[in-house]
Structure formats: structure tokens, C-alpha cells
Amino acid sequence: MKHYTSINDIDNIDSWIEEAKALKLMPLKHIDLGKNKTLGLLFFNSSLRTRLSTQKAALNLGMNPIVMNVSGDAWGLEFEDGTVMNGNTAEH
């Protein structure tokens, strides 16, 4: 597997640009790629563009995105070292 951490890691940028244009015209071209897969999205801070664009990309790939906005959809999460799940508090 190749890791792309820099624009210099792309061997042929022109082919990537052409592929991006083709996907823009046919966004559901790879809809079977994510069939029977779920993408879980967990947001600790408010997000609009990132959440919506990621959800749309997942749908275009045939995935089922599940979103949890921790700041509004859940009790506060405790994640400090030594936190004990003792049944008296909401969730850890």
C-alpha cells in the first residue's frame, strides 16, 4: 500500500485530475465499493462542511454513514486516566 503524504507522492497528477473530473460527472460510478459497509463518524466539535462532505462521499460509495455529534447528541464522555465505569454516571 502506498501512502500519500505529499503532492510529490503522486506519480501522474494529470491522470488524477482527469479522474476527479470524471467522478464529478458521474459521482455514483463506484457506488458498489462501499456496499454492506458502515462508516462511523464521531465529532467532538461542531462541524458542518466536514460532516456533510464525508456523509455525501460515503453515500456516493454506497456506504451507510452513522454520525454522532458528541457535543449535542450524547452525554459528556469521560476519557481521563483512571475513569471507572461504575453505573452512577452516564457514559465513559
Side-chain angles (χ1 to χ4, degrees):
M1 176 194 316
K2 182 153 174 128
H3 296 279
Y4 297 95
T5 57
S6 163
I7 192 76
N8 297 321
D9 295 334
I10 298 173
D11 51 356
N12 185 345
I13 191 73
D14 293 329
S15 69
W16 283 43
I17 292 170
E18 290 306 313
E19 184 176 351
K21 287 180 183 177
L23 283 171
K24 190 81 166 164
L25 293 173
M26 294 177 43
L28 302 178
K29 179 180 178 183
H30 300 291
I31 195 158
D32 291 329
L33 190 64
K35 185 177 179 182
N36 298 321
K37 294 182 178 154
T38 301
L39 177 65
L41 302 168
L42 184 63
F43 289 95
F44 290 92
N45 297 312
S46 298
S47 170
L48 180 60
R49 292 173 299 189
T50 302
R51 180 174 51 87
L52 293 177
S53 61
T54 305
Q55 279 183 273
K56 182 58 179 160
L59 291 168
N60 285 354
L61 292 173
M63 297 175 123
N64 179 28
I66 296 175
V67 179
M68 175 173 248
N69 295 302
V70 174
S71 62
D73 295 339
W75 291 292
L77 298 177
E78 297 179 51
F79 47 84
E80 292 81 19
D81 287 343
T83 300
V84 177
M85 193 167 218
N86 58 14
N88 294 334
T89 55
E91 301 210 18
H92 302 280

